Amino acid sequence: MARRGRGEQEGEQPSPDQPTVTLSPSAEFPGLGQDELAVLREVGQRWSAAMRDRPTDWDDLPLDPTLDRYRHPPTPSRFERLARIEMFKADEPGQLLATESATLPQNRAGQRLARVRRAILGPPLASTAVLQERMRKLIALPVLSSDLLSSVAYGPEALLAVLVLAGTGALALSLPLAGALVLLMIVVGTSYRQTVRAYPHGAGSYLVASDSLGPRFGLAAAAGLILDYVLTVSVSVAAGISAITSALPGLEPYTVPFGLLAIAVLLAGNLRGVRVAGNLFAAPTYVFIVAVVLLLVAGFAQAGMRGFEALPPPPVTAVEGLTLLVVLRAFASGATSMTGIEAVSNAVPVFKPVEWRNARTTLTWMVSLLVVLFAGLTLLIHLTGVVPRADETLISQVARHTFRTGPWYGIIQAATAMILLLAANTAYQDFPRLLFFLARDDYAPRRFLHMGDRLAFSNGIIVLSVTAAIIFLAFGGLTQSLIPLYAVGVFLAFTLSQAGMVVHWRRHRGRNWHWRAALNGLGSALCAIVLVTAAVTKFGEGAWVTVLAIPLLVLLASRIRRHYDRMHRALALRPPSVPGPDVGRPVLAGGSRDRAVGGDDQESEESPQDVRHLVVVPVARLNLAALRALAYAASLGPPVFAVHLSPEQEEADRFREEWRIWGDHLRLETIISPYRAVTAPLVQYLDALHMLRPDMVLTVVVPELMVRHPWHRLLHTPIDQRLRRALRGLPGVVITSVPVHLNR
């Protein structure tokens, strides 16, 4: 089950001073629990007995792990290798700090690619800048509401596109249905305000459903949101391109290339970081709000001049009868205007302090704007008498009717196209964070915990872009073809979130909990109606894809969790007297030695007496795999030391404390990697060590998890393979793997 937030307060308003869950780079390096620390202490005592007769004077190491920088600068054979040492600087006793240059690859091609990436995305940000990357309300509003507000450009049209199937007379139902949708918007929006108050650490529907209804319901909500965010990108880009081709029909053949280009721009913009993306994409949302308000004011002024009499729509022949099913289908289609209403509850940690309070204020602004724009546009469409057409959007028709001359029609269309194209930015904010929470709970690959160069969750952003581009390409960029897939996932998340809040209030009670539970119950019931209607009526139109995909995603997440559970059991620390599960013994002969052929240095270790060793053990976490690698390295005899890379100082201090509890049996060297790179700084450090003493054989001992199925490899980072590829050009460097077999 997902972890319960520390900010929860028995249904009361959380204290502003209460800590919230921070999306920290240290999430990749979870600490040990109290039970594990106790076992670690016991294991360390056994190490003390085993190493009693061995020399433990760390000063006897043949070189200084701090790279000997300040006492005896080395004389390099190549300038580049002197630069390796300059990539690190002394930070504290026993600790180095990796500079920005240490994150660059060693080979020239990799360095050129890295420079191009930095030219496009900007220089990397240090981990300490994570708080500075948060958004204030005026930036968060357009960033998180772009999806919600942009949906008014196609939500009313989706409603009318169903009603018009029953003929012109059925269009009169658009106003009462719009009123019902406005009620649903207010109820769900108010319910999510309560969610932000009860769960001030983000994760929205996934966390609420997991905490109150159970892990399976939480995964179902997460699966619905995942599909929603992917389709948000596809639908928003498709609608934006449609707005452009409505104004410029000659560009219609280029719908797909323009759509893929828009996704590429969104990808690059969001990889630049939260704050930069917010600054880039905030202005179009405000322009759209102003443009639509201007359209409403001008349109209602014209309608007022004729006494608010609705113009007759053009006659449309009915293709099916006006039945309850048609009405429910229209209601479910119009409800797509609510997609994105949950965005704030998922992104509370990106707000500046006080996070929950700023999030609730922003959510109130969002829902208020949604109600005004949706209700106003629906009423103006009714008064104008336009009907859905295949070659032009409704908002384009209303703008043409309202602004017959002047530049205002072009401004309206440009603003609509921009907000629709950039509406996908809401998904780029929430999708990677949802994957972060899933990965934190071991339901998604742990690489989604990693923050990229710009403190954005780059892996999640890339996955979202690629998946959305594939869907957009498969459906040819047609908005109406994509919308049937849209409602099921998002309203499943809405329904489970609201039902979870009912259970939350019943469990925690508190002041006025009956009214809160009743409000969430009403929201859950209304959302369930939309969910069932959309799933049944749009099943044949494409909703079957979503209905099938949700259980498959839940099954996949469960399989991933099962694998990680098996891994945790296999690697968990156990008292020496307690036999562990069948995780396999280290096959030490399976280690490999990569040696360069040729090169500047001569490899002359042709007999045992010619070999002088230095053993280095990279350690990320003190689990069973790490202790086996340390034990194997120590069995080779001195000189041996360990190195730990940390993304920030707090994590380094925590690891050193765990090392002390273990017994401090080997020297530990800590490197702070503030730009969160792991492999590149480790390679640069090992290269610098090799440069200091090229006459020694540098043996790097790393644990290697042997997984059951090939697809499990996608859930882990193969550090040993990356080190082999990076260091294969250095003579006298050995990479030894200590395999640890997971349960079969």
Side-chain angles (χ1 to χ4, degrees):
M1 181 179 293
R3 300 172 179 86
R4 183 173 302 172
R6 288 173 281 180
E8 196 171 318
Q9 283 285 325
E10 297 295 324
E12 297 297 327
Q13 186 166 298
S15 168
D17 299 326
Q18 225 171 5
T20 60
V21 173
T22 302
L23 305 180
S24 168
S26 294
E28 284 190 273
F29 306 91
L32 299 178
Q34 293 301 318
D35 294 340
E36 291 178 298
L37 290 175
V39 174
L40 183 65
R41 188 177 289 107
E42 184 176 349
V43 173
Q45 293 170 359
R46 187 172 182 181
W47 269 69
S48 298
M51 301 186 68
R52 186 174 296 121
D53 300 328
R54 299 191 182 190
T56 57
D57 188 359
W58 292 339
D59 293 333
D60 290 341
L61 289 173
L63 55 81
D64 185 353
T66 62
L67 303 180
D68 206 20
R69 179 181 180 188
Y70 292 99
R71 290 188 294 172
H72 307 289
T75 302
S77 58
R78 292 177 293 181
F79 174 80
E80 292 85 356
R81 300 192 60 199
L82 174 61
R84 304 288 181 232
I85 295 180
E86 299 300 320
M87 290 179 181
F88 301 90
K89 59 183 179 181
D91 190 31
E92 292 181 3
Q95 179 171 291
L96 294 174
L97 180 67
T99 65
E100 180 181 336
S101 301
T103 63
L104 293 173
Q106 281 191 310
N107 60 81
R108 295 185 183 277
Q111 291 176 0
R112 293 192 189 100
L113 183 61
R115 291 190 179 98
V116 171
R117 186 179 72 247
R118 292 184 181 183
I120 297 174
L121 305 181
L125 298 173
S127 297
T128 52
V130 67
L131 294 179
Q132 301 172 10
E133 285 295 293
R134 298 192 180 187
M135 296 184 290
R136 64 185 190 274
K137 295 192 292 291
L138 289 178
I139 294 296
L141 174 63
V143 170
L144 297 177
S145 69
S146 56
D147 177 25
L148 182 66
L149 298 183
S150 68
S151 62
V152 303
Y154 56 81
E157 183 166 4
L159 184 152
L160 292 173
V162 177
L163 289 179
V164 79
L165 297 176
T168 307
L171 295 177
L173 291 175
S174 62
L175 295 185
L177 286 177
L181 286 171
V182 167
L183 174 63
L184 181 60
M185 293 171 186
I186 295 174
V187 170
V188 174
T190 307
S191 298
Y192 270 108
R193 276 178 52 88
Q194 296 188 157
T195 301
V196 171
R197 178 166 62 181
Y199 294 88
H201 34 48
S205 301
Y206 163 65
L207 182 57
V208 174
S210 297
D211 186 48
S212 300
L213 303 178
R216 295 290 182 183
F217 291 98
L219 290 178
L225 287 177
I226 287 173
L227 294 174
D228 171 44
Y229 293 141
V230 172
L231 290 171
T232 291
V233 178
S234 302
V235 171
S236 298
V237 171
I241 300 300
S242 178
I244 294 175
T245 56
S246 292
L248 303 171
L251 297 178
E252 188 172 354
Y254 304 99
T255 295
V256 172
F258 283 160
L260 296 178
L261 177 62
I263 293 175
V265 171
L266 287 165
L267 169 63
N270 281 278
L271 287 177
R272 292 184 65 88
V274 173
R275 190 161 53 91
V276 174
N279 292 333
L280 286 174
F281 301 141
T285 304
Y286 283 121
V287 171
F288 174 75
I289 294 172
V290 173
V292 174
V293 169
L294 175 64
L295 175 63
L296 294 178
V297 170
F300 285 132
Q302 291 181 5
M305 295 174 63
R306 61 175 185 271
F308 290 102
E309 180 181 353
L311 298 177
V316 178
T317 303
V319 297
E320 59 182 278
L322 182 60
T323 62
L324 178 61
L325 188 59
V326 170
V327 174
L328 290 176
R329 283 173 55 195
F331 181 76
S333 297
T336 56
S337 297
M338 294 174 54
T339 55
I341 203 170
E342 82 293 341
V344 170
S345 67
N346 291 335
V348 176
V350 307
F351 284 86
K352 289 184 177 295
V354 177
E355 293 88 347
W356 67 267
R357 182 177 297 159
N358 290 332
R360 292 188 70 195
T361 302
T362 304
L363 179 59
T364 302
W365 294 348
M366 285 172 52
V367 175
S368 301
L369 286 170
L370 172 66
V371 168
V372 171
L373 298 183
F374 176 83
L377 273 177
T378 305
L379 179 57
L380 185 58
I381 290 171
H382 174 75
L383 293 174
T384 307
V386 295
V387 297
R389 286 167 42 186
D391 59 339
E392 188 175 9
T393 62
L394 275 181
I395 195 170
S396 174
Q397 295 182 56
V398 172
R400 284 188 191 277
H401 182 275
T402 304
F403 302 110
R404 300 182 184 278
T405 59
W408 296 111
Y409 170 77
I411 294 175
I412 297 292
Q413 284 301 100
T416 303
M418 287 299 295
I419 186 63
L420 287 170
L421 289 173
L422 299 182
N425 196 54
T426 299
Y428 278 96
Q429 297 300 316
D430 285 344
F431 180 86
R433 289 182 180 83
L434 176 59
L435 288 183
F436 171 89
F437 285 109
L438 287 169
R440 186 196 63 176
D441 295 334
D442 290 337
Y443 288 115
R446 296 189 65 82
R447 61 184 63 201
F448 290 120
L449 295 173
H450 179 70
M451 285 186 169
D453 287 353
R454 301 288 296 179
L455 289 172
F457 294 106
S458 305
N459 292 328
I461 291 172
I462 293 172
V463 167
L464 174 62
S465 300
V466 172
T467 309
I470 292 173
I471 292 176
F472 180 85
L473 189 61
F475 283 84
L478 299 177
T479 308
Q480 295 302 323
S481 299
L482 289 166
I483 284 182
L485 285 71
Y486 208 21
V488 174
V490 66
F491 275 93
L492 173 63
F494 288 171
T495 303
L496 293 176
S497 174
Q498 302 308 305
M501 286 301 297
V502 174
V503 175
H504 171 84
W505 297 128
R506 287 174 58 88
R507 179 187 299 167
H508 297 283
R509 307 277 171 164
R511 186 182 57 191
N512 297 326
W513 73 270
H514 293 91
W515 292 106
R516 293 171 178 159
L519 179 63
N520 289 125
L522 176 61
S524 179
L526 293 176
C527 290
I529 293 173
V530 177
L531 169 64
V532 173
T533 303
V536 173
T537 61
K538 297 181 180 297
F539 189 85
E541 301 176 28
W544 65 268
V545 176
T546 305
V547 173
L548 180 63
I550 288 174
L552 289 178
L553 286 175
V554 172
L555 178 61
L556 176 61
S558 301
R559 294 291 298 274
I560 292 174
R561 174 62 182 261
R562 187 186 309 170
H563 169 76
Y564 280 128
D565 286 343
R566 184 183 298 116
M567 181 195 73
H568 292 320
R569 287 194 301 269
L571 302 183
L573 297 176
R574 295 179 295 276
S577 57
V578 178
D582 180 20
V583 296
R585 294 286 183 180
V587 186
L588 302 182
S592 65
R593 178 170 175 165
D594 288 327
R595 304 294 300 274
V597 178
D600 297 334
D601 299 316
Q602 295 296 320
E603 299 176 351
S604 58
E605 310 89 39
E606 296 163 352
S607 59
Q609 62 267 26
D610 295 329
V611 179
R612 301 185 64 191
H613 279 287
L614 173 63
V615 182
V616 182
V617 186
V619 180
R621 190 173 188 264
L622 282 173
N623 53 22
L624 179 62
L627 289 182
R628 286 192 172 180
L630 291 169
Y632 172 63
S635 71
L636 301 177
V640 181
F641 75 96
V643 61
H644 173 72
L645 270 78
S646 174
E648 52 188 354
Q649 187 65 53
E650 292 78 5
E651 197 279 332
D653 295 339
R654 177 194 58 74
F655 186 86
R656 277 198 293 265
E657 177 60 21
E658 293 176 356
W659 191 267
R660 185 195 63 78
I661 292 174
W662 173 62
D664 216 12
H665 298 293
L666 297 174
R667 173 161 180 167
L668 174 66
E669 194 70 23
T670 306
I671 299 176
I672 302 294
S673 180
Y675 303 102
R676 298 158 303 286
V678 175
T679 305
L682 182 58
V683 168
Q684 311 287 12
Y685 177 71
L686 295 173
D687 188 12
L689 288 179
H690 180 267
M691 186 202 66
L692 288 173
R693 289 292 301 272
D695 58 308
M696 299 198 67
V697 174
L698 186 63
T699 301
V700 184
V701 179
V702 292
E704 179 183 6
L705 294 182
M706 309 301 292
V707 296
R708 180 178 181 182
H709 301 292
W711 70 270
H712 287 165
R713 297 172 190 166
L714 300 174
L715 307 180
H716 303 279
T717 303
I719 294 295
D720 58 325
Q721 297 177 19
R722 293 186 178 183
L723 290 178
R724 285 191 179 93
R725 288 194 297 267
L727 297 174
R728 67 181 57 181
L730 291 180
V733 176
V734 176
I735 309 296
T736 297
S737 300
V738 180
V740 179
H741 296 80
L742 301 185
N743 283 339
R744 295 181 180 274

